[in-house]
Amino acid sequence: MPWDVLSDEQREIRELVRTLTRERIAPRAAEIDESSEFPWDMVELFREHELLGLPFEERHGGTGTGTLTLLVAIEEVSRACATSGLILAVQELGALALKLAGSDPQKERWLPRLASGEWLAAYALTEPGSGSDSAAMRTVARRDGDGYVLDGGKRFITNAGVAGLYTVFAKTDPEAGHGGISCFVVEADAPGLEIGRIEPKMGIKGSTTGEVFLDGCRVPAESLVGSEGEGFRIAMRVLDRSRPGIGAQALGIAQGATDYALEYAKTRETMGKPIAQHQLVAAKLADMETACEAARGLLYRFGQMADDGVDGPELTKASAMAKLHCSDTAMWVTTEAVQILGGYGYIKEYPVERMMRDAKITQIYEGTNEVQRLVIAREMVREARSSLLAGVA
Ligand SMILES: Cc1cc2nc3c(=O)[nH]c(=O)nc-3n(C[C@H](O)[C@H](O)[C@H](O)COP(=O)(O)OP(=O)(O)OC[C@H]3O[C@@H](n4cnc5c(N)ncnc54)[C@H](O)[C@@H]3O)c2cc1C
């Protein structure tokens, strides 16, 4: 057996997901892209095989298998279908606030429904005027009797219209910046929660990305996650742990494109030999494979750190590096894959143009790659590390 960083249990789960991907997900990927319809059949498949339980502990009905295993599953699914891989990643994203900052009664109430896949989750932070700058959000939550009333609007929310539960960030103190933000769980049928436009997109077309309006949306006081004013801290802790899920999606796309380009290059002949034997093509393939393996190293290291209980600035930096490198790799590798297929790479009969379109979003959502670079550099400056030049006049 080839050397592998994964445990026996992790390898077994990867094998299960790989088989499902090959037999059930890959044959649907082009149709999902073409129709731009949310793939409920993939959700059903994940439910049947308990894959939506991967982000959750056993006591909440999950598999209790940890972060690295989840990342491997997202990677495997995304090798064939980035839309389907995103379903697993967003189940984690939408649940993380509850997992990290929810009370026991909140966890017992909501997490089992997410772990079984009965409900999908969504994470609603972005607004029309606040993406990278989330402190500029305008959605407000006003205390009213035994609950809160939310007013405002969120944009670009993955799983809008298909989620059963939305993690929503709103200002309980509109005059304050970061410190005025609070976090709420809002069920899809809460009065005043309306779904607006679902955006047509370049890639991950089966995933819904939409507006979520909160118009006098009343929620009980027990919907507040953590305490008032703690929302920004929760939102950032969530992203620290969820961004590598996008890294895993990106790595899956990159590996899928590399594998496809390799197979193509072994059979397509020009000037009397397979193009894989032309040195310029061979070099591309070697660089693509190396880039994927390097990205995997960063991603799995993050998974192991999270499973070992590492937290704080070290985890933040590892998370940002994994997301940044995996997504830049995906964009570059898929562009090279299109090049290797020549004209065939540009047409829809072959999957690499879809992979290239799907790759682009991984550099944008859950914090753009510019923001990831800011985060990494901030942690570098903060770290008290010794330099070989220290003390040199
Ligand atoms: C398909 C899709 C799904 C999404 N899903 C979700 C979701 O589920 N939940 C959610 O809350 N949001 C979601 N988003 C929103 C996404 O996270 C934001 O679009 C993203 O964070 C960027 O915000 P913005 O679009 O407002 O861009 P802006 O913040 O306006 O940035 C525009 C450009 O300026 C750069 N920039 C901004 N500030 C700086 C800076 N300080 N230094 C250097 N460069 C900077 C950015 O990197 C970017 O290149 C989704 C978006 C898309 C397209």
Side-chain angles (χ1 to χ4, degrees):
M1 194 184 302
W3 183 86
D4 201 330
V5 72
L6 302 183
S7 68
D8 287 349
E9 187 193 35
Q10 287 167 333
R11 277 204 295 264
E12 257 174 50
I13 295 177
R14 181 178 62 189
E15 213 35 58
L16 165 74
V17 180
R18 202 168 267 178
T19 305
L20 289 175
T21 302
R22 190 176 52 244
E23 293 176 0
R24 307 280 301 277
I25 301 173
R28 281 278 287 130
E31 282 169 7
I32 292 169
D33 178 63
E34 194 60 35
S35 70
S36 300
E37 278 172 16
F38 184 76
W40 281 110
D41 56 332
M42 295 295 111
V43 175
E44 198 46 52
L45 183 73
F46 294 157
R47 282 179 185 144
E48 264 172 47
H49 295 273
E50 296 179 24
L51 298 187
L52 289 162
L54 285 171
F56 302 95
E57 292 176 21
E58 278 177 290
R59 68 191 163 115
H60 297 127
T63 56
T65 41
T67 302
L68 178 56
T69 307
L70 172 65
L71 295 175
V72 168
I74 297 169
E75 176 192 346
E76 287 299 324
V77 172
S78 303
R79 280 168 84 155
C81 179
T83 288
S84 302
L86 187 61
I87 294 171
L88 295 182
V90 176
Q91 197 70 347
E92 164 86 330
L93 169 68
L96 264 166
L98 274 171
K99 282 170 57 178
L100 293 171
S103 64
D104 284 341
Q106 286 176 324
K107 289 179 184 173
E108 279 152 27
R109 174 164 174 198
W110 283 302
L111 294 185
R113 293 182 132 171
L114 298 178
S116 68
E118 180 191 344
W119 280 2
L120 296 177
Y123 178 83
L125 179 67
T126 304
E127 298 185 3
S130 73
S132 306
D133 182 11
S134 41
M137 74 171 56
R138 301 179 72 162
T139 298
V140 291
R142 178 172 47 83
R143 182 85 206 209
D144 184 46
D146 57 356
Y148 289 87
V149 176
L150 278 65
D151 278 290
K154 299 289 174 179
R155 179 168 287 174
F156 296 157
I157 305 308
T158 301
N159 282 354
V162 298
L165 177 153
Y166 294 81
T167 297
V168 175
F169 295 87
K171 282 196 170 165
T172 39
D173 180 355
E175 303 313 317
H178 297 122
I181 299 173
S182 301
C183 174
F184 297 88
V185 167
V186 184
E187 296 187 7
D189 62 0
L193 185 147
E194 299 290 338
I195 303 302
R197 188 180 63 210
I198 301 294
E199 310 285 356
K201 299 190 294 292
M202 175 193 289
I204 53 160
K205 288 186 169 195
S207 174
T208 65
T209 309
E211 293 171 316
V212 178
F213 296 121
L214 302 149
D215 185 10
C217 176
R218 171 170 277 283
V219 293
E222 303 79 62
S223 301
L224 176 70
V225 181
S227 44
E228 280 191 20
E230 217 195 329
F232 184 75
R233 208 177 71 86
I234 295 173
M236 294 305 115
R237 284 193 72 209
V238 166
L239 291 173
D240 275 352
R241 280 159 195 281
S242 68
R243 276 174 179 147
I246 298 308
Q249 182 196 30
L251 175 58
I253 298 169
Q255 191 66 63
T258 302
D259 295 347
Y260 197 89
L262 173 65
E263 282 312 305
Y264 185 86
K266 287 196 303 201
T267 53
R268 173 75 174 174
E269 293 195 2
T270 67
M271 288 119 199
K273 57 182 176 184
I275 59 171
Q277 287 177 24
H278 294 304
Q279 286 187 350
L280 289 175
V281 176
K284 276 192 203 303
L285 289 167
D287 288 346
M288 290 157 74
E289 180 86 339
T290 306
C292 287
E293 203 54 50
R296 187 169 290 112
L298 275 176
L299 184 74
Y300 287 15
R301 176 172 166 272
F302 170 88
Q304 289 172 316
M305 285 169 76
D307 288 339
D308 281 353
V310 177
D311 207 348
E314 208 185 341
L315 194 78
T316 301
K317 187 176 162 203
S319 159
M321 290 196 300
K323 193 270 184 182
L324 170 67
H325 194 65
C326 288
S327 57
D328 280 353
T329 296
M331 197 63 245
W332 177 76
V333 162
T334 54
T335 308
E336 290 295 77
V338 169
Q339 194 69 18
I340 288 176
L341 268 72
Y344 296 95
Y346 201 70
I347 63 169
K348 283 193 177 279
E349 194 182 338
Y350 293 81
V352 288
E353 63 83 30
R354 164 170 53 84
M355 292 168 168
M356 184 176 164
R357 287 186 283 107
D358 287 344
K360 184 60 207 168
I361 189 59
T362 66
Q363 295 180 305
I364 296 173
Y365 58 15
E366 293 202 30
T368 64
N369 280 8
E370 288 75 19
V371 169
Q372 304 314 310
R373 288 182 168 92
L374 292 178
V375 169
I376 295 162
R378 185 190 64 205
E379 297 307 331
M380 289 168 70
V381 170
R382 203 184 274 172
E383 284 165 4
R385 55 185 199 204
S386 59
S387 157
L388 287 176
L389 297 179
V392 177

